[in-house]
Amino acid sequence: MRDAFSSALVAAAQRDPKLLLLTGDHGYALFDPFRKACPDQYMNCGIAEQNMVGVAAGLAKAGFRPVVYGLAAFVPIRVLEQIKIDVCYEHLPVTFIGDGAGVVYAHLGTSHQSTEDIAALRAVPHVSIYSPGDRFELTACFDRIMQSSGPAYLRMGKADLGDVHAGPLAKWNGELIPVTTSNAPHLFVATGSGLKLAQKIAAAIGNADVVSVPCLKPFPEESLRRLAQRREAVVTFEEHSIYGGLGGAVAESLVGRYVGTFLRIGIPDQFSTLCGNYPFLMESHGLGLSDVENRIRKVLREHVEYQ
């Protein structure tokens, strides 16, 4: 996914000399192709993320198209006030890239993990939020951002879990992307790394369709409502807090319109208190494959018994 981002960024910069890449002393190897292809469009602002957003806002007002890169724990979390006031209040065309979202920086602890970035930005006016699930979704998301004229946030997980789609997504319009469509009784709604998890659980349990949500804001409410009609259960998957992220957006969209079982799979209301690799951290938050499968089976079984 990171290679796809690098390729999309270089291509966009070569098309538009006004595109500038700003980084807070991160991503050196990732940006080797960019520095080689567009050396005059690269700025290392140092470990001063708040100032970097202010610089990006000034450049945007001068007619440039800044892309601000950082770890998701810093961009957007550390610079939330600057994003709100300097960029979104002015409705400036600044793109924020939050790399390593979720708990993928497992060994570095809570300070370098970001499980609240979507929730924080959903409440800030004017900013669009994207959370691609594979390299093809990332390219489609970045292309859509470059076609827009306002602030945007692109959330990337550093762990590459593999492709979900067979190839590029032509003419994606920001709506939900069906992965399986069989009119199954259960609907799995996923974003980011949660898409691969949803796909695996659906294959294990059966009787479930999977849809991807690469764009979380503006949220595709109407298409979700249509897909959720007559489903016995709707389950959301995300590597983000169960509060304020995809699960919250789906719940807000369906409240008063859906009467089936609803379950959110994500990070519970807790910090990472243990240290280990990425799979270990996911398991510590209850997001291991077997734990999630058992939990969903239990909820679906209870739904059948209640009926």
Side-chain angles (χ1 to χ4, degrees), residues 43-244:
M43 299 176 65
N44 187 348
C45 294
I47 305 174
E49 289 89 353
Q50 291 96 333
N51 182 67
M52 177 169 62
V53 176
V55 170
L59 289 168
K61 284 191 171 185
F64 290 95
R65 186 68 188 264
V67 175
V68 177
Y69 172 90
L71 305 190
F74 309 142
V75 178
I77 296 303
R78 178 175 289 176
V79 297
L80 185 61
E81 179 185 357
Q82 286 73 31
I83 290 176
K84 171 186 172 182
I85 299 300
D86 295 352
V87 175
C88 293
Y89 184 76
E90 301 282 350
H91 208 286
L92 298 175
V94 179
T95 300
F96 299 97
I97 309 296
D99 199 359
V103 299
V104 71
Y105 282 107
H107 290 290
L108 299 180
T110 294
S111 64
H112 282 62
Q113 297 163 15
S114 181
T115 61
E116 64 288 302
D117 50 327
I118 295 171
L121 280 183
R122 281 186 68 217
V124 178
H126 305 316
V127 61
S128 301
I129 302 174
Y130 296 86
S131 174
D134 71 359
R135 58 183 173 136
F136 300 115
E137 289 190 0
L138 187 144
T139 301
C141 287
F142 193 79
D143 289 346
R144 185 169 175 82
I145 290 171
M146 289 297 100
Q147 294 168 12
S148 69
S149 58
Y153 171 57
L154 178 64
R155 182 183 209 252
M156 288 198 302
K158 191 178 177 70
D160 194 343
L161 302 179
D163 293 338
V164 173
H165 304 286
L169 305 173
K171 298 181 180 179
W172 178 61
N173 61 358
E175 292 295 311
L176 300 175
I177 302 174
V179 177
T180 58
T181 53
S182 62
N183 293 318
H186 313 311
L187 181 66
F188 289 176
V189 185
T191 193
S193 66
L195 180 57
K196 199 68 175 179
L197 179 60
Q199 191 179 35
K200 291 179 179 179
I201 298 295
I205 293 178
N207 291 324
D209 285 335
V210 178
V211 295
S212 178
V213 189
C215 182
L216 290 156
K217 184 184 177 186
F219 192 77
E221 293 185 357
E222 289 302 322
S223 57
L224 173 68
R225 290 167 182 163
R226 288 194 299 269
L227 282 170
Q229 287 179 355
R230 296 181 294 278
R231 306 278 185 168
E232 296 177 8
V234 173
V235 183
T236 61
F237 296 77
E238 60 191 316
E239 192 180 330
H240 181 277
S241 171
I242 58 172
Y243 300 112

